[in-house]
């Protein structure tokens, strides 16, 4: 089997397409959550802690001198990213939890079980006829 044929079989499988769609939707979802954190959640938190903007928090390790810029440790951006991650993780957890609940939802009590497939019915008839033979 050639490598092209193997790749074609791999790429055509439904799991690969589903994964690609998940990555694309996940990227868009990540942008939405990052915006929600940066633009909606963090401003009130910054206001509560004295008007601090977390992305502006930094420690200057070396002042700028001449043509070389200042060396800063931007821990505020790191905190912002940690908040983004935590909120994305919580949102994904809740979505997966909801999807699992929908998957495992029990059938209503008054619902009749689905009829067996036609092949199974025919096989049962054949079995019964064979058992009746002397």
């Amino acid at each position: 089997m050639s490598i092209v044929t193997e790749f074609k079989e791999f790429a055509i499988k439904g799991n690969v397409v589903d994964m690609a769609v998940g990555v694309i939707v996940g990227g868009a979802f990540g942008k939405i959550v990052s915006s929600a954190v940066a633009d909606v959640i963090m401003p009130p938190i910054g206001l509560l802690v004295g008007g601090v903007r977390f992305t502006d928090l930094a420690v200057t390790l070396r002042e700028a001198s001449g043509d070389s810029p200042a060396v800063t440790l931007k821990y505020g951006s790191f905190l912002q990213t940690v908040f983004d991650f935590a909120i994305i993780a919580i949102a994904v957890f809740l979505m997966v939890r909801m999807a699992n609940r929908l998957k495992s939802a029990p059938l209503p009590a008054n619902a009749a079980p689905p009829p067996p497939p036609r092949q199974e019915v025919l096989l049962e008839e054949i079995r019964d006829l064979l058992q009746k033979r002397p």
Side-chain angles (χ1 to χ4, degrees):
M1 186 180 288
S2 73
I3 194 163
V4 174
T5 307
E6 286 182 52
F7 179 75
K8 191 184 297 183
E9 287 179 17
F10 170 76
I12 292 175
K13 288 183 182 177
N15 293 342
V16 174
V17 175
D18 292 343
M19 185 177 68
V21 169
V23 168
I24 292 168
V25 170
F29 182 70
K31 288 180 182 179
I32 291 170
V33 172
S34 293
S35 174
V37 170
D39 302 330
V40 177
I41 296 172
M42 293 308 288
I45 291 174
L47 188 63
L48 288 174
V49 294
V52 176
R53 289 187 48 165
F54 282 87
T55 54
D56 295 338
L57 296 176
V59 173
T60 303
L61 300 175
R62 184 177 58 180
E63 296 292 330
S65 63
D67 292 338
S68 62
V71 178
T72 57
L73 183 67
K74 298 180 180 180
Y75 67 92
S77 294
F78 175 74
L79 288 174
Q80 182 77 34
T81 304
V82 169
F83 283 125
D84 287 354
F85 171 78
I87 291 174
I88 289 171
I90 291 168
V92 169
F93 168 74
L94 292 175
M95 286 176 24
V96 168
R97 185 174 175 215
M98 183 174 49
N100 287 340
R101 282 189 179 174
L102 290 175
K103 257 192 235 181
S104 63
L107 292 173
N110 59 359
R118 179 163 168 70
Q119 296 164 339
E120 192 173 316
V121 172
L122 291 174
L123 287 171
E124 287 175 357
E125 289 176 7
I126 292 170
R127 181 198 64 204
D128 294 342
L129 288 173
L130 288 173
Q131 286 178 346
K132 288 181 185 178
R133 283 180 67 190

